[in-house]
Amino acid sequence: MPTLNKIRTAILGEPRVTSGADALRPLRSALTLFFALDGFLFAGWVVRIPAIKQQTGASDGALGLALLGVSAGAVATMTLTGRLCRRFGSHPVTVVAALLMSLGIALPPLTRSPLALGLVLLVFGAAYGGLNVAMNSAAVDLVAALRRPVMPSFHAAFSVGGMLGAGLGALLAGRLSVTAHLLLLTATGLIAGAAAGRVLLAHTPPPRKGPSHRPPASVVTRTDSEGRGKPRERRLVTVFGLIALCTAYGEGALADWGALHLRQDLAAPAGLAALGYSVFALAMTLGRLSGTALLERLGQTRLLVAGGTTAALGMLLGSLAPSVWAALAGFAITGLGLANIFPVAVGRAGELAGPGGVAAASTFGYGGMLLGPPAIGILAERFSLPLALTTVAALAAGSALVAYATRRAGAAVSAG
């Protein structure tokens, strides 16, 4: 018997198959906590990067290379995590990945060189990538069982967790050493992960109900034993992965370049410029909180098209507006537009191909987040930063066009 199953059985006995609204409610709460914990831990690490830079004596270039460890670890692990979810189930993999991420966040303060930092960030990134695939796979199963499009609510929890983690980090930065702060995050993660993990480990993923969310057999008919879908489904998973990439490209670009655009191109005061990404992130959180209602009202395709179009218009305003306040309004509109594209794309890929689909779409999305900042930098150096930022609008518009162009193919596969 696999080790993960032994652990689950030893702690909780035989897992129960979940059914019924009452039984699904604690599962939804537990998964929501995992999404929030993911954002909370990651944001808590990010706000302490300056202190880690000083501790390791890294130059800007060396730090940039070390930080690639997070991305490299995440991307390398995502496909493997899809296979682990098929082998052991998404629930135990979610719990293990969350606990590993909680432990991994305590490692950076132990390093004293950029090379050592990069190596431990590979471990942290691997756990981060694994958690994202596993918990999204678990969420896809739960969404299908609930027969309500609640995927955006999980990603809203991630956004809220990120805002809380960043805010707490800002408060503690002047009071606690980086080691004490990250150890506190480790303790928080272990406690929260263990508490929510008991709920996940006590239940197998819920069965899917109804014709619109057929049981796993409908996925098995489209995938082989290794989780590789038939050519048509693989192409559609790639399409949704590209849509996720377009969204993540914009998020990465605004995180790294939004404040600089406000400060450098629009002469915003430093404090006001720093609000740029906060405005974007808050708008994205609010958009995700309303995502379920929008999905029920508009459906997946219309939401993807409307979101991509809104984000494109917002980013054109944000990048080309002549005033700071107009640019901030553009950032907010962009956040609202992009908010639900990634959750819908990843969820749709999971419906088509299970954990393997989630892994593929997540890898595309993370690749977009990696691609955005350096692409903007290269284009800004060759042309200008405002013009470079219009590529966010172009990709958002592209995601809307792709979603519209493939609407019949997606519907055919769902019905087939």
Side-chain angles (χ1 to χ4, degrees):
M1 182 180 292
T3 302
L4 287 173
N5 290 336
K6 287 183 179 179
I7 294 172
R8 177 171 60 186
T9 303
I11 296 175
L12 301 163
E14 288 299 322
R16 301 188 303 275
V17 176
T18 303
S19 60
D22 290 340
L24 292 176
R25 191 175 297 114
L27 273 182
R28 182 176 179 182
S29 298
L31 271 178
T32 299
L33 180 57
F34 275 112
F35 274 84
L37 181 63
D38 186 33
F40 179 79
L41 292 177
F42 192 80
W45 143 250
V46 167
V47 298
R48 298 314 296 258
I49 288 177
I52 295 293
K53 179 179 184 294
Q54 183 178 11
Q55 174 183 296
T56 57
S59 64
D60 290 343
L63 178 65
L65 290 174
L67 292 177
L68 281 177
V70 177
S71 305
V75 170
T77 308
M78 284 178 169
T79 300
L80 173 62
T81 305
R83 294 173 182 167
L84 291 174
C85 287
R86 287 192 296 272
R87 176 77 180 275
F88 301 110
S90 58
H91 290 181
V93 177
T94 296
V95 176
V96 171
L99 298 179
L100 288 176
M101 184 178 174
S102 300
L103 293 170
I105 203 172
L107 297 177
L110 305 179
T111 61
R112 292 296 180 270
S113 71
L115 176 59
L117 177 62
L119 292 175
V120 302
L121 289 181
L122 278 171
V123 177
F124 177 69
Y128 175 69
L131 177 57
N132 275 270
V133 170
M135 67 184 183
N136 273 291
S137 298
V140 167
D141 290 331
L142 183 55
V143 168
L146 287 170
R147 302 183 67 186
R148 288 194 67 212
V150 298
M151 194 70 165
S153 69
F154 295 117
H155 288 260
F158 174 86
S159 298
V160 171
M163 295 175 68
L164 291 175
L168 179 64
L171 289 174
L172 296 180
R175 295 175 173 83
L176 290 181
S177 68
V178 63
T179 301
H181 178 200
L182 296 187
L183 282 175
L184 178 62
L185 294 184
T186 292
T188 303
L190 292 175
I191 293 170
R198 286 188 61 84
V199 178
L200 260 64
L201 294 176
H203 300 82
T204 58
R208 300 183 180 191
K209 301 177 181 179
S212 62
H213 293 291
R214 289 205 296 261
S218 67
V219 176
V220 173
T221 60
R222 298 172 190 154
T223 59
D224 59 26
S225 61
E226 294 298 320
R228 295 184 293 269
K230 292 181 179 179
R232 190 179 189 186
E233 284 70 36
R234 287 203 300 268
R235 287 195 295 271
L236 275 175
V237 167
T238 301
V239 165
F240 287 111
L242 290 173
I243 291 173
L245 183 152
C246 293
T247 304
Y249 176 97
E251 189 171 355
L254 279 172
D256 283 24
W257 293 99
L260 183 62
H261 168 57
L262 296 175
R263 180 74 170 148
Q264 173 184 287
D265 300 313
L266 299 177
L272 186 58
L275 286 177
Y277 183 71
S278 299
V279 167
F280 169 79
L282 178 59
M284 179 172 277
T285 302
L286 294 175
R288 286 175 170 174
L289 288 171
S290 61
T292 296
L294 290 173
L295 272 170
E296 290 176 331
R297 187 176 184 85
L298 300 176
Q300 290 180 342
T301 297
R302 281 189 286 181
L303 181 60
L304 290 173
V305 172
T309 303
T310 300
L313 294 174
M315 201 58 222
L316 285 176
L317 176 62
S319 58
L320 302 178
S323 71
V324 173
W325 294 107
L328 287 172
F331 287 2
I333 294 170
T334 303
L336 289 172
L338 294 180
N340 295 301
I341 298 178
F342 186 89
V344 170
V346 170
R348 193 68 183 92
E351 290 173 12
L352 287 167
V358 173
S362 298
T363 302
F364 271 103
Y366 212 88
M369 192 170 291
L370 290 177
L371 176 65
I376 295 293
I378 292 169
L379 292 171
E381 187 171 347
R382 184 172 178 82
F383 303 103
S384 68
L385 182 53
L387 187 61
L389 287 171
T390 62
T391 59
V392 175
L395 285 179
S399 72
L401 288 174
V402 169
Y404 184 77
T406 58
R407 66 195 185 284
R408 289 190 177 89
V413 169
S414 296

PDB file of all heavy atoms in Angstrom, residues 229-249:
ATOM      1  N   GLY A 229      -4.684  12.962 -22.410  1.00  0.00           N
ATOM      2  CA  GLY A 229      -5.965  12.940 -23.073  1.00  0.00           C
ATOM      3  C   GLY A 229      -5.842  12.630 -24.554  1.00  0.00           C
ATOM      4  O   GLY A 229      -4.764  12.573 -25.118  1.00  0.00           O
ATOM      5  N   LYS A 230      -6.983  12.357 -25.205  1.00  0.00           N
ATOM      6  CA  LYS A 230      -7.017  12.205 -26.645  1.00  0.00           C
ATOM      7  C   LYS A 230      -6.583  13.519 -27.289  1.00  0.00           C
ATOM      8  O   LYS A 230      -6.639  14.576 -26.657  1.00  0.00           O
ATOM      9  CB  LYS A 230      -8.426  11.814 -27.080  1.00  0.00           C
ATOM     10  CG  LYS A 230      -8.820  10.402 -26.624  1.00  0.00           C
ATOM     11  CD  LYS A 230     -10.220  10.060 -27.094  1.00  0.00           C
ATOM     12  CE  LYS A 230     -10.607   8.649 -26.660  1.00  0.00           C
ATOM     13  NZ  LYS A 230     -11.972   8.288 -27.084  1.00  0.00           N
ATOM     14  N   PRO A 231      -6.165  13.473 -28.559  1.00  0.00           N
ATOM     15  CA  PRO A 231      -5.623  14.697 -29.189  1.00  0.00           C
ATOM     16  C   PRO A 231      -6.529  15.907 -29.060  1.00  0.00           C
ATOM     17  O   PRO A 231      -6.053  17.006 -28.787  1.00  0.00           O
ATOM     18  CB  PRO A 231      -5.444  14.260 -30.645  1.00  0.00           C
ATOM     19  CG  PRO A 231      -5.195  12.787 -30.563  1.00  0.00           C
ATOM     20  CD  PRO A 231      -6.041  12.290 -29.433  1.00  0.00           C
ATOM     21  N   ARG A 232      -7.828  15.723 -29.242  1.00  0.00           N
ATOM     22  CA  ARG A 232      -8.735  16.867 -29.185  1.00  0.00           C
ATOM     23  C   ARG A 232      -8.752  17.494 -27.797  1.00  0.00           C
ATOM     24  O   ARG A 232      -8.714  18.718 -27.647  1.00  0.00           O
ATOM     25  CB  ARG A 232     -10.142  16.424 -29.580  1.00  0.00           C
ATOM     26  CG  ARG A 232     -11.104  17.598 -29.789  1.00  0.00           C
ATOM     27  CD  ARG A 232     -12.460  17.082 -30.209  1.00  0.00           C
ATOM     28  NE  ARG A 232     -13.321  18.173 -30.622  1.00  0.00           N
ATOM     29  CZ  ARG A 232     -14.612  18.015 -30.937  1.00  0.00           C
ATOM     30  NH1 ARG A 232     -15.148  16.798 -30.880  1.00  0.00           N
ATOM     31  NH2 ARG A 232     -15.354  19.037 -31.287  1.00  0.00           N
ATOM     32  N   GLU A 233      -8.802  16.638 -26.765  1.00  0.00           N
ATOM     33  CA  GLU A 233      -8.812  17.150 -25.400  1.00  0.00           C
ATOM     34  C   GLU A 233      -7.470  17.781 -25.036  1.00  0.00           C
ATOM     35  O   GLU A 233      -7.422  18.786 -24.333  1.00  0.00           O
ATOM     36  CB  GLU A 233      -9.162  16.031 -24.416  1.00  0.00           C
ATOM     37  CG  GLU A 233     -10.645  15.661 -24.382  1.00  0.00           C
ATOM     38  CD  GLU A 233     -11.091  14.961 -25.645  1.00  0.00           C
ATOM     39  OE1 GLU A 233     -10.299  14.184 -26.211  1.00  0.00           O
ATOM     40  OE2 GLU A 233     -12.233  15.180 -26.096  1.00  0.00           O
ATOM     41  N   ARG A 234      -6.381  17.174 -25.526  1.00  0.00           N
ATOM     42  CA  ARG A 234      -5.069  17.761 -25.256  1.00  0.00           C
ATOM     43  C   ARG A 234      -4.961  19.151 -25.868  1.00  0.00           C
ATOM     44  O   ARG A 234      -4.403  20.064 -25.268  1.00  0.00           O
ATOM     45  CB  ARG A 234      -3.958  16.856 -25.810  1.00  0.00           C
ATOM     46  CG  ARG A 234      -3.749  15.585 -25.012  1.00  0.00           C
ATOM     47  CD  ARG A 234      -2.344  15.023 -25.235  1.00  0.00           C
ATOM     48  NE  ARG A 234      -2.101  14.714 -26.635  1.00  0.00           N
ATOM     49  CZ  ARG A 234      -2.325  13.525 -27.177  1.00  0.00           C
ATOM     50  NH1 ARG A 234      -2.830  12.543 -26.447  1.00  0.00           N
ATOM     51  NH2 ARG A 234      -2.057  13.298 -28.446  1.00  0.00           N
ATOM     52  N   ARG A 235      -5.501  19.297 -27.066  1.00  0.00           N
ATOM     53  CA  ARG A 235      -5.466  20.620 -27.704  1.00  0.00           C
ATOM     54  C   ARG A 235      -6.272  21.630 -26.905  1.00  0.00           C
ATOM     55  O   ARG A 235      -5.858  22.786 -26.735  1.00  0.00           O
ATOM     56  CB  ARG A 235      -5.988  20.523 -29.141  1.00  0.00           C
ATOM     57  CG  ARG A 235      -5.033  19.840 -30.112  1.00  0.00           C
ATOM     58  CD  ARG A 235      -5.445  20.095 -31.546  1.00  0.00           C
ATOM     59  NE  ARG A 235      -6.726  19.491 -31.861  1.00  0.00           N
ATOM     60  CZ  ARG A 235      -6.897  18.256 -32.323  1.00  0.00           C
ATOM     61  NH1 ARG A 235      -5.847  17.469 -32.498  1.00  0.00           N
ATOM     62  NH2 ARG A 235      -8.103  17.801 -32.606  1.00  0.00           N
ATOM     63  N   LEU A 236      -7.431  21.204 -26.407  1.00  0.00           N
ATOM     64  CA  LEU A 236      -8.252  22.132 -25.629  1.00  0.00           C
ATOM     65  C   LEU A 236      -7.592  22.487 -24.300  1.00  0.00           C
ATOM     66  O   LEU A 236      -7.674  23.632 -23.849  1.00  0.00           O
ATOM     67  CB  LEU A 236      -9.638  21.533 -25.391  1.00  0.00           C
ATOM     68  CG  LEU A 236     -10.651  21.755 -26.518  1.00  0.00           C
ATOM     69  CD1 LEU A 236     -11.938  21.012 -26.220  1.00  0.00           C
ATOM     70  CD2 LEU A 236     -10.927  23.238 -26.732  1.00  0.00           C
ATOM     71  N   VAL A 237      -6.946  21.512 -23.653  1.00  0.00           N
ATOM     72  CA  VAL A 237      -6.212  21.805 -22.434  1.00  0.00           C
ATOM     73  C   VAL A 237      -5.120  22.833 -22.722  1.00  0.00           C
ATOM     74  O   VAL A 237      -4.896  23.762 -21.940  1.00  0.00           O
ATOM     75  CB  VAL A 237      -5.614  20.516 -21.831  1.00  0.00           C
ATOM     76  CG1 VAL A 237      -4.587  20.843 -20.748  1.00  0.00           C
ATOM     77  CG2 VAL A 237      -6.727  19.653 -21.244  1.00  0.00           C
ATOM     78  N   THR A 238      -4.456  22.685 -23.867  1.00  0.00           N
ATOM     79  CA  THR A 238      -3.433  23.661 -24.258  1.00  0.00           C
ATOM     80  C   THR A 238      -4.045  25.039 -24.464  1.00  0.00           C
ATOM     81  O   THR A 238      -3.465  26.062 -24.075  1.00  0.00           O
ATOM     82  CB  THR A 238      -2.724  23.207 -25.545  1.00  0.00           C
ATOM     83  OG1 THR A 238      -2.120  21.929 -25.327  1.00  0.00           O
ATOM     84  CG2 THR A 238      -1.659  24.203 -25.962  1.00  0.00           C
ATOM     85  N   VAL A 239      -5.228  25.069 -25.061  1.00  0.00           N
ATOM     86  CA  VAL A 239      -5.911  26.352 -25.263  1.00  0.00           C
ATOM     87  C   VAL A 239      -6.173  27.034 -23.923  1.00  0.00           C
ATOM     88  O   VAL A 239      -5.883  28.230 -23.746  1.00  0.00           O
ATOM     89  CB  VAL A 239      -7.237  26.137 -26.027  1.00  0.00           C
ATOM     90  CG1 VAL A 239      -8.127  27.376 -25.926  1.00  0.00           C
ATOM     91  CG2 VAL A 239      -6.951  25.822 -27.489  1.00  0.00           C
ATOM     92  N   PHE A 240      -6.711  26.280 -22.964  1.00  0.00           N
ATOM     93  CA  PHE A 240      -6.986  26.880 -21.656  1.00  0.00           C
ATOM     94  C   PHE A 240      -5.696  27.231 -20.931  1.00  0.00           C
ATOM     95  O   PHE A 240      -5.651  28.197 -20.163  1.00  0.00           O
ATOM     96  CB  PHE A 240      -7.857  25.940 -20.823  1.00  0.00           C
ATOM     97  CG  PHE A 240      -9.282  25.891 -21.288  1.00  0.00           C
ATOM     98  CD1 PHE A 240      -9.799  24.750 -21.883  1.00  0.00           C
ATOM     99  CD2 PHE A 240     -10.102  27.000 -21.170  1.00  0.00           C
ATOM    100  CE1 PHE A 240     -11.105  24.708 -22.338  1.00  0.00           C
ATOM    101  CE2 PHE A 240     -11.410  26.977 -21.616  1.00  0.00           C
ATOM    102  CZ  PHE A 240     -11.915  25.821 -22.211  1.00  0.00           C
ATOM    103  N   GLY A 241      -4.629  26.460 -21.179  1.00  0.00           N
ATOM    104  CA  GLY A 241      -3.334  26.826 -20.629  1.00  0.00           C
ATOM    105  C   GLY A 241      -2.837  28.151 -21.175  1.00  0.00           C
ATOM    106  O   GLY A 241      -2.293  28.977 -20.439  1.00  0.00           O
ATOM    107  N   LEU A 242      -3.032  28.368 -22.470  1.00  0.00           N
ATOM    108  CA  LEU A 242      -2.612  29.634 -23.077  1.00  0.00           C
ATOM    109  C   LEU A 242      -3.433  30.802 -22.524  1.00  0.00           C
ATOM    110  O   LEU A 242      -2.915  31.901 -22.327  1.00  0.00           O
ATOM    111  CB  LEU A 242      -2.756  29.557 -24.600  1.00  0.00           C
ATOM    112  CG  LEU A 242      -1.769  28.629 -25.306  1.00  0.00           C
ATOM    113  CD1 LEU A 242      -2.114  28.512 -26.789  1.00  0.00           C
ATOM    114  CD2 LEU A 242      -0.341  29.140 -25.138  1.00  0.00           C
ATOM    115  N   ILE A 243      -4.715  30.552 -22.283  1.00  0.00           N
ATOM    116  CA  ILE A 243      -5.540  31.598 -21.677  1.00  0.00           C
ATOM    117  C   ILE A 243      -5.028  31.929 -20.276  1.00  0.00           C
ATOM    118  O   ILE A 243      -4.934  33.099 -19.889  1.00  0.00           O
ATOM    119  CB  ILE A 243      -7.019  31.152 -21.651  1.00  0.00           C
ATOM    120  CG1 ILE A 243      -7.577  31.104 -23.075  1.00  0.00           C
ATOM    121  CG2 ILE A 243      -7.857  32.092 -20.782  1.00  0.00           C
ATOM    122  CD1 ILE A 243      -8.975  30.517 -23.171  1.00  0.00           C
ATOM    123  N   ALA A 244      -4.676  30.900 -19.508  1.00  0.00           N
ATOM    124  CA  ALA A 244      -4.102  31.130 -18.180  1.00  0.00           C
ATOM    125  C   ALA A 244      -2.784  31.887 -18.281  1.00  0.00           C
ATOM    126  O   ALA A 244      -2.490  32.768 -17.465  1.00  0.00           O
ATOM    127  CB  ALA A 244      -3.889  29.789 -17.464  1.00  0.00           C
ATOM    128  N   LEU A 245      -1.983  31.564 -19.282  1.00  0.00           N
ATOM    129  CA  LEU A 245      -0.709  32.261 -19.493  1.00  0.00           C
ATOM    130  C   LEU A 245      -0.931  33.753 -19.701  1.00  0.00           C
ATOM    131  O   LEU A 245      -0.212  34.594 -19.130  1.00  0.00           O
ATOM    132  CB  LEU A 245       0.021  31.649 -20.689  1.00  0.00           C
ATOM    133  CG  LEU A 245       1.413  32.192 -21.052  1.00  0.00           C
ATOM    134  CD1 LEU A 245       2.240  31.100 -21.725  1.00  0.00           C
ATOM    135  CD2 LEU A 245       1.344  33.411 -21.967  1.00  0.00           C
ATOM    136  N   CYS A 246      -1.911  34.089 -20.523  1.00  0.00           N
ATOM    137  CA  CYS A 246      -2.188  35.510 -20.800  1.00  0.00           C
ATOM    138  C   CYS A 246      -2.546  36.261 -19.524  1.00  0.00           C
ATOM    139  O   CYS A 246      -2.138  37.416 -19.324  1.00  0.00           O
ATOM    140  CB  CYS A 246      -3.326  35.628 -21.808  1.00  0.00           C
ATOM    141  SG  CYS A 246      -2.908  35.018 -23.460  1.00  0.00           S
ATOM    142  N   THR A 247      -3.304  35.617 -18.649  1.00  0.00           N
ATOM    143  CA  THR A 247      -3.683  36.245 -17.384  1.00  0.00           C
ATOM    144  C   THR A 247      -2.476  36.439 -16.485  1.00  0.00           C
ATOM    145  O   THR A 247      -2.248  37.516 -15.927  1.00  0.00           O
ATOM    146  CB  THR A 247      -4.715  35.368 -16.656  1.00  0.00           C
ATOM    147  OG1 THR A 247      -5.823  35.145 -17.508  1.00  0.00           O
ATOM    148  CG2 THR A 247      -5.183  36.031 -15.386  1.00  0.00           C
ATOM    149  N   ALA A 248      -1.691  35.368 -16.327  1.00  0.00           N
ATOM    150  CA  ALA A 248      -0.547  35.432 -15.420  1.00  0.00           C
ATOM    151  C   ALA A 248       0.522  36.387 -15.926  1.00  0.00           C
ATOM    152  O   ALA A 248       1.235  37.002 -15.129  1.00  0.00           O
ATOM    153  CB  ALA A 248       0.030  34.033 -15.231  1.00  0.00           C
ATOM    154  N   TYR A 249       0.646  36.516 -17.230  1.00  0.00           N
ATOM    155  CA  TYR A 249       1.585  37.482 -17.810  1.00  0.00           C
ATOM    156  C   TYR A 249       1.272  38.888 -17.289  1.00  0.00           C
ATOM    157  O   TYR A 249       2.157  39.627 -16.857  1.00  0.00           O
ATOM    158  CB  TYR A 249       1.477  37.441 -19.334  1.00  0.00           C
ATOM    159  CG  TYR A 249       2.329  38.456 -20.073  1.00  0.00           C
ATOM    160  CD1 TYR A 249       3.568  38.097 -20.580  1.00  0.00           C
ATOM    161  CD2 TYR A 249       1.886  39.761 -20.296  1.00  0.00           C
ATOM    162  CE1 TYR A 249       4.354  39.012 -21.263  1.00  0.00           C
ATOM    163  CE2 TYR A 249       2.647  40.680 -20.983  1.00  0.00           C
ATOM    164  CZ  TYR A 249       3.891  40.304 -21.468  1.00  0.00           C
ATOM    165  OH  TYR A 249       4.650  41.226 -22.147  1.00  0.00           O
TER     166      TYR A 249
END
